[in-house]
């Protein structure tokens, strides 16, 4: 397996060395979030390998087949769903949670169809991730203590479409079926609270 450099400059851990029943693969290309989540999950008793790309995620999945995985949907070199598929092929009983900062119904459905057991918006805290990984089979998780407001969800959706349109206001307005000036006013405001 190839070597990756970790946050402290030493080679990142790429194989599981502890309790095989608590092996956890974290795949996220946001270094501060990935490292913080990895440390938090290690404190909860998981044997964690954290990588930053689809290629590394697939490599670890094929060589080590972890019991648990947390995979970001959008990675620098492709879709996290490719990692989910590789994990499913390597270990059909693995419990996979997909994380994304660009949540919508279509991506949630795609993640579940690919084999994820849950889908969480970023930034997700370690407690929510652990609860999703260890869920006891209930059909729905408990409601969040502090859900996003409808205004915040709308704002997040507009920002996601704006980024997907390469920050082109006219194209974003066309896709959202919104007047260009209305969209510009929304984009010039700060994010709503909650």
């Amino acid at each position: 397996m190839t070597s990756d450099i970790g946050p402290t400059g030493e080679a990142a851990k790429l194989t599981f060395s502890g309790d095989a029943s608590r092996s956890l693969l974290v795949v996220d290309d946001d270094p501060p979030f990935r490292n913080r989540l990895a440390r938090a999950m290690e404190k909860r008793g998981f044997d964690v390998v954290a990588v930053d790309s689809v290629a590394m995620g697939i490599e670890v999945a094929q060589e080590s087949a972890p019991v648990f995985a947390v995979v970001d949907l959008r990675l620098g070199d492709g879709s996290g769903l490719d990692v989910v598929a590789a994990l499913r092929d390597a270990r059909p009983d693995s419990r996979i949670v997909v994380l994304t900062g660009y949540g919508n119904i279509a991506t949630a459905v795609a993640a579940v169809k690919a084999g994820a057991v849950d889908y969480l918006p970023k930034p997700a805290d370690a407690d929510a991730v652990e609860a999703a990984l260890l869920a006891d089979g209930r059909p729905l998780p408990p409601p969040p203590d502090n859900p996003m407001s409808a205004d915040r969800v709308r704002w997040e959706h507009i920002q996601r479409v704006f980024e997907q349109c390469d920050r082109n206001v006219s194209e974003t307005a066309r896709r959202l079926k919104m007047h260009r000036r209305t969209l510009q006013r929304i984009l010039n405001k700060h994010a709503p609270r909650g």
Side-chain angles (χ1 to χ4, degrees):
M1 198 176 266
T2 59
S3 180
D4 190 18
I5 302 301
T8 57
E10 74 268 4
K13 175 180 145 183
L14 295 176
T15 58
F16 299 102
S17 56
D19 182 1
S21 68
R22 299 284 283 182
S23 57
L24 169 65
L25 171 63
V26 175
V27 184
D28 197 300
D29 58 359
D30 176 8
F33 177 78
R34 180 181 66 245
N35 295 331
R36 194 169 48 249
L37 181 61
R39 282 192 303 270
M41 298 309 284
E42 284 174 345
K43 288 179 182 174
R44 288 167 170 76
F46 288 90
D47 180 17
V48 180
V49 168
V51 297
D52 64 356
S53 66
V54 171
M56 292 299 294
I58 291 172
E59 187 175 340
V60 172
Q62 291 172 340
E63 291 188 19
S64 303
V67 176
F68 301 101
V70 178
V71 181
D72 189 9
L73 185 63
R74 289 182 64 183
L75 297 161
D77 64 338
S79 171
L81 296 180
D82 295 337
V83 179
V84 173
L87 285 160
R88 278 285 167 235
D89 289 344
R91 186 179 199 130
D93 65 333
S94 61
R95 297 195 48 87
I96 306 162
V97 172
V98 171
L99 299 177
T100 187
Y102 303 92
N104 64 31
I105 293 171
T107 54
V109 169
V112 171
K113 281 185 177 180
V117 296
D118 208 342
Y119 182 89
L120 299 174
K122 283 175 78 174
D125 66 6
D127 292 332
V129 171
E130 182 180 33
L133 289 172
L134 302 176
D136 59 3
R138 292 183 296 163
L140 292 174
D145 293 332
N146 190 13
M148 281 194 283
S149 68
D151 289 337
R152 178 64 187 219
V153 171
R154 178 178 180 253
W155 186 86
E156 292 280 345
H157 175 68
I158 289 169
Q159 293 295 321
R160 181 180 58 82
V161 174
F162 184 54
E163 290 297 325
Q164 289 174 332
C165 292
D166 295 323
R167 303 180 66 80
N168 181 317
V169 175
S170 296
E171 178 65 15
T172 304
R174 186 185 66 73
R175 289 183 185 224
L176 292 172
K177 297 175 179 52
M178 178 182 287
H179 195 278
R180 188 177 191 280
R181 282 188 227 144
T182 302
L183 177 61
Q184 283 178 310
R185 281 194 298 275
I186 291 169
L187 292 172
N188 287 329
K189 291 182 180 179
H190 293 289
R193 291 196 177 141

